[in-house]
């Protein structure tokens, strides 16, 4: 676990120096590794499976559990109840399902619309053309609040052009609560921070090849 904690401290320092937020993507990490990071001060985690997000949010309620993967409508209740944020909104129907499951005493759930900047067909997210309309409709749901735009840039492709497109889109949509551009994963978080990303999602650079299983 010392190696994991050392990686985390270096990474967090680097991300904070850039004025951004680090999401530790724990989707494939065992509970023991998550516990070690929490001991080291980590509070922001990314999960892609709703039941695992629920289980970990119940076990560690003082941490913020962000949903970062594709969501099926029948899992909406887990996200509505237990997520601190949902960074991968890609349809109004699914957003409405989550909104409907949000309890009356819960504040609006911070969400990001996921944009497919590269236009590749197998990629998740909405097109740049469709994104502004989706942002406005989702933000119009009282139970959700759009706080940013998220994109995954395929390995080997530069992040600068996608980030510039997202920044233009954010200007165009002009929703005051929209402050985040969430681009950057293990392979490209440095470039993304340099190009203006405000939140990076890092999994394998933290957890890969550790002797923790
Ligand atoms: C898994 C995942 C990540 C983390 O990817 P790494 O390459 O392991 O850093 C980031 N974002 C999303 C949406 C993911 O599904």
């Amino acid at each position: 676990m010392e190696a994991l904690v050392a990686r985390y401290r270096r990474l967090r320092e680097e991300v904070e120096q850039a004025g951004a937020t680090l999401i530790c993507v724990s989707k494939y990490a065992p509970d023991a590794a998550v516990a070690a990071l929490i001991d080291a001060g980590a509070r922001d985690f990314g999960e892609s499976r709703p039941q695992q997000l629920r289980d970990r949010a119940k076990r560690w309620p003082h941490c913020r559990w962000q949903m970062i993967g594709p969501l099926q409508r029948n899992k909406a209740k887990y996200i509505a109840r237990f997520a601190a944020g949902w960074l991968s909104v890609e349809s109004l129907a699914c957003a409405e399902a989550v909104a409907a499951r949000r309890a009356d005493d819960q504040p609006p759930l911070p969400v990001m619309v996921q944009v497919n900047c590269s236009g590749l067909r197998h990629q998740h997210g909405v097109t740049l053309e469709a994104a502004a309309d989706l942002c406005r409709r989702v933000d119009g749901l009282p139970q959700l609040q759009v706080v940013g735009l998220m994109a995954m840039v395929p390995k080997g492709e530069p992040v600068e052009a996608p980030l510039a497109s997202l920044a233009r889109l954010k200007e165009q949509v002009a929703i005051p609560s929209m402050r985040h551009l969430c681009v950057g994963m293990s392979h490209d978080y440095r470039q993304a921070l340099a190009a203006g990303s405000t939140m990076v999602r890092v999994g394998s650079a933290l957890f890969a090849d550790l002797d923790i299983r």
Side-chain angles (χ1 to χ4, degrees):
M1 292 299 172
E2 291 101 78
L4 171 63
V5 169
R7 281 183 193 177
Y8 166 71
R9 293 218 163 98
R10 273 199 303 276
L11 181 62
R12 179 163 167 175
E13 174 76 21
E14 201 180 341
V15 174
E16 286 185 349
Q17 286 287 323
T21 301
L22 169 65
I23 306 285
C24 300
V25 176
S26 48
K27 62 189 180 192
Y28 300 135
D31 281 356
V34 172
L37 287 190
I38 293 172
D39 280 346
R43 293 294 179 269
D44 294 287
F45 292 91
E47 292 284 342
S48 58
R49 280 172 299 183
Q51 284 100 328
Q52 180 161 299
L53 184 148
R54 173 203 57 194
D55 293 344
R56 290 182 164 174
K58 280 186 166 177
R59 179 161 176 188
W60 292 293
H62 58 301
C63 294
R64 292 173 288 273
W65 299 91
Q66 313 275 352
M67 176 63 182
I68 60 168
L71 180 64
Q72 290 164 344
R73 256 187 274 177
N74 59 350
K75 309 276 171 64
K77 57 180 180 284
Y78 302 124
I79 300 315
R81 290 292 310 280
F82 296 103
W86 173 23
L87 311 190
S88 47
V89 177
E90 50 184 344
S91 85
L92 182 63
C94 204
E96 285 171 342
V98 170
R101 297 291 195 144
R102 195 89 174 144
D104 290 340
D105 61 352
Q106 289 183 292
L109 177 68
V111 304
M112 298 193 197
V113 166
Q114 183 172 355
V115 183
N116 174 358
C117 293
S118 56
L120 293 173
R121 238 193 253 176
H122 61 272
Q123 289 264 317
H124 277 283
V126 294
T127 61
L128 272 167
E129 293 70 40
D133 185 57
L134 183 60
C135 285
R136 294 194 186 102
R137 286 171 189 264
V138 171
D139 198 65
L141 300 169
Q143 298 87 353
L144 305 183
Q145 181 176 48
V146 177
V147 299
L149 299 165
M150 188 271 254
M152 290 175 87
V153 177
K155 223 170 184 160
E157 286 184 25
V159 295
E160 288 77 9
L163 265 163
S165 302
L166 293 185
R168 274 196 302 277
L169 179 60
K170 178 167 159 270
E171 291 298 304
Q172 180 200 336
V173 177
I175 293 175
S177 57
M178 244 167 94
R179 55 186 181 277
H180 285 294
L181 300 179
C182 182
V183 176
M185 313 179 10
S186 292
H187 66 276
D188 60 3
Y189 75 86
R190 279 204 181 106
Q191 292 87 330
L193 291 173
S197 175
T198 65
M199 190 182 280
V200 294
R201 312 173 307 272
V202 180
S204 48
L206 278 171
F207 297 107
D209 309 318
L210 290 167
D211 194 15
I212 46 178
R213 266 159 223 274

